[in-house]
Amino acid sequence: MAATTEPIINSPAANNAASQANKKKKAKKTVADNTKYQGIEKVMPIEIRSSHAKGRHAVAAKDLAAGTLVAVEKATTFIVRNQSFVNLCHCCLTPIQLKSQTRPKVDAQGKQIEGQVERINVPPSSCAKCKMAAYCSEGCKKTHAPEHDVQCAALAESNKISATHSVPLEQLRGVLGLIGRRKAEGDGAVEFVTEAQAADAKPTAYGCVSDLNPNRHYIERNDIKNLQTALKEVLALVPEEARIPLSEAVEIACIFHTNNHAITVNSHGILGVFPFSSLYFQHNCNPNCVCIGGPSGVMYVRTLTDVPANGELSISYADLYQPREQRRRELLLSRHFWCKCRRCSTLLSQSVDRFMDGILCGECKKGVMIFEETKEVQDINELMTDISALDQEIQGKFAECESCPSKIEVTKLVEILKAAITDYGAAHMALQQQEGGDLVRVRQLLERFVQNYEEKHVLHPCNAYLVNTYITLVRVCTQLGDVDRAIRYNGIVVDRMRGPADCNHTAVPENYPRLAEYNMTLGDMCLKQAKKKAANKTPAGRSITRRYLKEAKAALDNAYRARVVIHGEKSQRAAEAKRLLDDAKKEYDAFSKATEKKKSKKQPQPQQQQQPQQQEAASA
């Protein structure tokens, strides 16, 4: 707590005066003006609203079916993630076809090694000055020039500045992207388009970025100081006519950090600032909408489930299949808010969240040990200063089994979970160290984790650490060529993510993108394996083939229906799932007909046809 030179007065009169002052401050709070964004209501089936309780938010203007498009927005700025830097065009986000070329080889000190060259893959077009921009063509390079020219000199030094001042490189690139957009657009207007007009959509105006909450007061003072120092160096390299004040640069850096949307385009990640979507689609751990990336930095928001008229539209900024406390802390540290959505506020004993980090009772081996959190965050500043305040809440408390009278100290429960996390981390660390090496050993470590914590009834089967271990096992077994085992583990992942059969709520919403992709992977593997095993004509071989074809049909049908909702019926993703589903149906029908034909050949003649022959034999 900061020291003060003013005396502290505890008199009733003083307290009353303070109370009145607080009331006046609250009375001055105004409801946000939506006029700037009202145009969305003309092209999309939504209404935008503002209130003291909810702030800005969007609701369904009528009953909306799952898969309904509710927003199309082009980012004010976007950056290709560092790990995908040369894989996507920095202008249109088209996948780049890299070309191979040679260059002189250099040693660790950067000196050229005489007579030695090396082959590298480079984009067809890039910025030779900063080497921080890649394009699919010279046309895109020319189109992007008005924005890039403003950033070029600063981008050339951005890696060095980032490392010197411990400021994330992507944050610096995001700030430069916003400065470039500001210079290129001039006085931009806010325009909204339909899906058919998405190709011609204009970026949301730079002026809308200031409507977003920077949450600067939740960021540590040292981080702000480092950011100021780094941005001062960056701005010095920006052309004077495009330069903005340092205070504004810090503000938009904080806005980019806490409001960016991480989306996938053509299998690669980008970070974009979408002011309208950030303002009006609030976070929820049980969202009814999803954000999907498209070409040229356009983001589409669609409903995941049916939404009734006046129902609030929400998205999620967190991975939903993880423990409640983990989700909340992740949102607190990255987005600077403590989630109080219905899922996070429901008693743990009545929520599917109890399974995400569920530890089974040591007595009955069936029920989950429940500890209802009693601490709710009132002062987020205090929590940001001391995140361990949540851990102090468990001291001297007991968890109770939901199925029997057994109790256990919460601290002991935490020790069990910490041991599981340690073993989980060790197994996954081995994967990182053995990538491309001894994957058999990695698989054994992962399977041992399952044996120790699931088969011995320590963790609930739907515990997030177990499910994530199965997800890793799918990848490892696929790389080892053990497809049958990969299929089995993938099936477990799909079943677990849907939630326990005896629970009224699911861990993820219907048509959840990650679940759709797990279904897609499962269906694809089953279909390929069924074709491979079709040559085995033994009864056991035919039984396996039938089972795989049946699983392929079911998984691909789920994947197709989900992709239609998530990406749209005419999307390439939906078309890909439909093609595989039709193939699976065709294979299943052909297999069934061949099996029936084989059975009919082996069947004896009907009894009625044999009766005349039997009568003749009897009379003879």
Side-chain angles (χ1 to χ4, degrees):
M1 181 180 290
T4 176
T5 57
E6 294 294 326
I8 299 174
I9 303 173
N10 291 319
S11 68
N15 289 336
N16 185 51
S19 177
Q20 293 296 326
N22 286 334
K23 286 182 180 179
K24 286 182 180 179
K25 285 182 183 179
K26 289 181 180 179
K28 289 181 181 178
K29 187 178 179 181
T30 57
V31 175
D33 182 12
N34 295 323
T35 306
K36 189 191 302 184
Y37 305 99
Q38 214 81 47
I40 188 79
E41 297 179 349
K42 296 180 180 178
V43 295
M44 293 293 165
I46 67 172
E47 294 178 4
I48 57 173
R49 298 176 181 176
S50 293
S51 67
H52 289 300
K54 294 183 177 181
R56 299 185 200 249
H57 58 284
V59 300
K62 58 181 181 180
D63 291 346
L64 302 179
T68 302
L69 187 68
V70 292
V72 175
E73 183 177 12
K74 188 168 184 176
T76 303
T77 192
F78 62 83
I79 61 167
V80 179
R81 302 296 301 263
N82 293 339
Q83 60 268 32
S84 301
F85 197 79
V86 296
N87 299 111
L88 291 179
C89 175
H90 290 208
C91 178
C92 69
L93 296 179
T94 298
I96 292 177
Q97 299 296 322
L98 299 175
K99 59 181 182 180
S100 179
Q101 67 179 38
T102 60
R103 70 177 181 187
K105 194 172 184 179
V106 296
D107 59 20
Q109 286 72 39
K111 293 182 180 180
Q112 186 174 327
I113 302 174
E114 187 176 353
Q116 293 190 32
V117 296
E118 60 181 352
R119 299 197 70 83
I120 57 170
N121 292 322
V122 296
S125 181
S126 61
C127 178
K129 293 180 181 179
C130 68
K131 297 180 175 58
M132 291 289 286
Y135 303 100
C136 63
S137 65
E138 285 295 317
C140 273
K141 181 178 179 180
K142 186 176 180 181
T143 301
H144 196 237
E147 290 184 50
H148 178 72
D149 290 349
V150 172
Q151 311 172 48
C152 189
L155 283 173
E157 300 295 323
S158 59
N159 276 292
K160 180 181 176 181
I161 295 172
S162 168
T164 302
H165 303 292
S166 301
V167 174
L169 176 61
E170 289 180 337
Q171 190 173 15
L172 295 180
R173 291 175 57 211
V175 172
L176 285 168
L178 287 168
I179 292 174
R181 166 51 33 200
R182 175 181 176 273
K183 179 66 171 64
E185 79 174 18
D187 297 326
V190 182
E191 298 180 9
F192 295 99
V193 298
T194 62
E195 185 173 15
Q197 301 166 324
D200 301 318
K202 294 180 179 179
T204 303
Y206 174 85
C208 297
V209 174
S210 60
D211 290 338
L212 297 171
N213 189 348
N215 289 318
R216 176 175 172 172
H217 49 290
Y218 298 140
I219 301 175
E220 289 188 15
R221 186 176 298 179
N222 285 338
D223 291 340
I224 290 292
K225 284 184 178 180
N226 290 340
L227 184 61
Q228 288 173 330
T229 307
L231 288 175
K232 192 173 182 178
E233 293 184 20
V234 166
L235 290 173
L237 297 168
V238 172
E240 189 174 351
E241 67 274 11
R243 204 172 296 160
I244 61 176
L246 179 60
S247 58
E248 184 179 346
V250 173
E251 190 86 352
I252 63 174
C254 295
I255 286 172
F256 182 86
H257 176 67
T258 58
N259 291 275
N260 71 71
H261 284 261
I263 55 179
T264 301
V265 180
N266 293 316
S267 302
H268 295 285
I270 73 165
L271 295 178
V273 177
F274 301 88
F276 174 80
S277 299
S278 294
L279 284 169
Y280 288 96
F281 297 110
Q282 300 300 319
H283 166 81
N284 195 305
C285 291
N286 189 25
N288 54 21
C289 294
V290 64
C291 300
I292 297 297
S296 302
V298 175
M299 185 171 75
Y300 301 85
V301 184
R302 296 181 185 274
T303 54
L304 277 176
T305 60
D306 294 342
V307 182
N310 293 313
E312 186 175 348
L313 301 170
S314 59
I315 59 176
S316 176
Y317 288 112
D319 177 10
L320 300 180
Y321 203 94
Q322 58 179 329
R324 177 184 293 182
E325 186 179 339
Q326 197 169 324
R327 283 199 317 271
R328 285 177 137 182
R329 290 194 185 204
E330 178 187 314
L331 291 167
L332 180 66
L333 295 174
S334 63
R335 302 284 173 174
H336 303 308
F337 69 86
W338 184 254
C339 186
K340 295 184 179 181
C341 71
R342 179 174 294 182
R343 176 175 171 179
C344 287
S345 302
T346 302
L347 288 174
L348 200 61
S349 57
Q350 300 172 16
S351 169
V352 70
D353 281 340
R354 69 185 185 275
F355 303 116
M356 302 298 98
D357 60 355
I359 298 175
L360 292 176
C361 173
E363 298 294 328
C364 69
K365 306 292 185 184
K366 294 180 180 179
V368 173
M369 302 305 294
I370 302 290
F371 169 63
E372 296 290 2
E373 295 178 76
T374 57
K375 185 177 182 65
E376 273 298 331
V377 175
Q378 301 300 331
D379 184 359
I380 193 171
N381 286 298
E382 179 186 347
L383 191 59
M384 289 296 294
T385 305
D386 183 15
I387 194 77
S388 64
L390 294 173
D391 298 325
Q392 296 169 8
E393 187 68 12
I394 67 175
Q395 299 299 322
K397 302 291 177 63
F398 286 83
E400 300 179 358
C401 176
E402 62 178 352
S403 301
C404 76
S406 180
K407 292 184 179 182
I408 186 175
E409 288 184 28
V410 178
T411 51
K412 291 183 178 179
L413 209 62
V414 171
E415 288 174 7
I416 295 172
L417 190 59
K418 283 182 177 179
I421 294 172
T422 300
D423 291 347
Y424 172 86
H428 285 75
M429 181 63 71
L431 174 61
Q432 294 178 10
Q433 294 171 348
Q434 299 291 335
E435 195 73 61
D438 187 7
L439 287 177
V440 173
R441 177 178 170 273
V442 174
R443 189 197 70 199
Q444 290 170 347
L445 287 172
L446 293 167
E447 290 178 334
R448 191 180 304 156
F449 178 84
V450 172
Q451 291 168 1
N452 290 340
Y453 289 96
E454 179 173 358
E455 295 176 15
K456 292 183 179 180
H457 306 288
V458 177
L459 301 181
H460 188 276
C462 290
N463 186 289
Y465 292 104
L466 280 173
V467 173
N468 285 327
T469 299
Y470 281 119
I471 291 170
T472 308
L473 276 167
V474 172
R475 180 156 62 97
V476 171
C477 292
T478 302
Q479 289 176 328
L480 288 170
D482 191 348
V483 183
D484 291 319
R485 196 178 299 207
I487 288 172
R488 179 161 60 88
Y489 290 143
N490 201 331
I492 291 172
V493 171
V494 170
D495 289 339
R496 301 279 172 86
M497 287 194 75
R498 288 184 182 133
D502 58 346
C503 182
N504 295 328
H505 305 284
T506 57
V508 297
E510 189 179 358
N511 304 312
Y512 187 52
R514 276 185 66 190
L515 182 56
E517 295 316 301
Y518 293 141
N519 268 311
M520 188 73 181
T521 303
L522 177 61
D524 188 28
M525 286 195 298
C526 285
L527 180 58
K528 288 177 180 176
Q529 200 70 347
K531 290 180 179 180
K532 185 178 178 181
K533 293 182 179 293
N536 187 343
K537 303 299 183 182
T538 66
R542 289 198 298 272
S543 176
I544 293 172
T545 302
R546 178 185 290 277
R547 176 166 59 84
Y548 276 151
L549 286 173
K550 199 171 182 179
E551 284 185 38
K553 273 205 320 173
L556 290 170
D557 183 58
N558 288 332
Y560 169 65
R561 287 188 287 106
R563 281 191 171 189
V564 167
V565 167
I566 298 164
H567 301 280
E569 189 171 6
K570 297 180 181 179
S571 66
Q572 291 182 353
R573 306 278 284 180
E576 179 190 16
K578 183 68 164 60
R579 178 178 56 80
L580 283 177
L581 175 60
D582 290 344
D583 191 12
K585 288 179 177 177
K586 182 180 176 182
E587 289 288 332
Y588 184 82
D589 291 342
F591 177 84
S592 298
K593 287 179 181 178
T595 304
E596 291 300 323
K597 189 175 182 181
K598 197 168 185 178
K599 283 182 180 179
S600 63
K601 285 183 178 179
K602 290 184 177 181
Q603 286 178 353
Q605 291 183 343
Q607 190 70 23
Q608 290 180 352
Q609 295 178 3
Q610 295 179 9
Q611 283 179 1
Q613 298 175 1
Q614 292 172 354
Q615 289 174 358
E616 289 177 9
S619 60

